[in-house]
Amino acid sequence: MSKPYIRLISYFLYMVLVYFVLIKGDIISRELKQYTASTYNPYPAFIFNIIFHLFVGLMLAAPRLISLFKRPGYWKYDWIKFFAVGIPAFYVIISPLIYFSPVSLYLPRFTYLLFYSSFIQPLSGLIFGYILLSSFDKRANDRINIPL
């Protein structure tokens, strides 16, 4: 097989894996919602949602990271992107845990708005997971080594 066909098949199988993970995660999430309704304990569902959406974001950034391993050069991490996008997204992800903790008394009121949105928190989990891996980059080895 030629290289384009191998790439096509590998990306297709990768997307099948992503959809499989999404379907299984949705099933587990529904079961945890039923568990929360019967036991009044929301923490297992909160923690699963945090980890699951973060994992899906990591999965979406994985192909780029794998292609970076093949390139020559030195590793670099974009801390500006991580702090500007990743840290606020992480705060949104953990907002349900913060909402039920004693720390919530000292935080601004907009934390409650983040908790009540069923769209913002999963999207922020995807963003944080993606930013976590996509902030890695490789630069060419043409940098000048200056002795200290």
Side-chain angles (χ1 to χ4, degrees):
M1 266 203 240
S2 66
K3 185 130 175 116
Y5 291 117
I6 292 173
R7 279 187 62 216
L8 176 72
I9 291 170
S10 63
Y11 277 119
F12 177 75
L13 292 175
Y14 167 72
M15 285 311 299
V16 168
L17 176 68
V18 168
Y19 285 124
F20 176 77
V21 168
L22 287 174
I23 290 169
K24 286 297 183 182
D26 185 49
I27 292 169
I28 294 170
S29 179
R30 289 174 193 228
E31 290 174 0
L32 285 173
K33 284 181 185 177
Q34 291 177 349
Y35 173 79
T36 300
S38 64
T39 63
Y40 301 108
N41 182 9
Y43 290 108
F46 289 161
I47 292 171
F48 174 77
N49 284 330
I50 290 169
I51 293 171
F52 175 67
H53 295 115
L54 181 111
F55 179 72
V56 172
L58 292 172
M59 282 183 67
L60 293 176
R64 181 181 174 275
L65 186 68
I66 292 169
S67 70
L68 284 177
F69 277 109
K70 297 176 184 176
R71 281 201 275 167
Y74 66 96
W75 286 98
K76 181 182 180 296
Y77 195 77
D78 190 357
W79 292 103
I80 296 172
K81 183 182 358 177
F82 177 73
F83 283 118
V85 180
I87 297 299
F90 182 72
Y91 178 74
V92 172
I93 294 169
I94 62 169
S95 64
L97 295 176
I98 293 172
Y99 179 77
F100 288 108
S101 72
V103 177
S104 67
L105 299 172
Y106 305 105
L107 294 175
R109 291 284 181 198
F110 73 86
T111 303
Y112 306 123
L113 297 174
L114 299 174
F115 172 67
Y116 286 118
S117 174
S118 62
F119 179 72
I120 293 175
Q121 188 190 11
L123 185 62
S124 295
L126 292 173
I127 290 170
F128 180 69
Y130 187 83
I131 291 295
L132 201 61
L133 286 186
S134 70
S135 294
F136 284 103
D137 198 11
K138 262 195 175 176
R139 303 290 177 181
N141 280 332
D142 59 347
R143 69 179 185 181
I144 301 171
N145 290 327
I146 301 173
L148 297 175

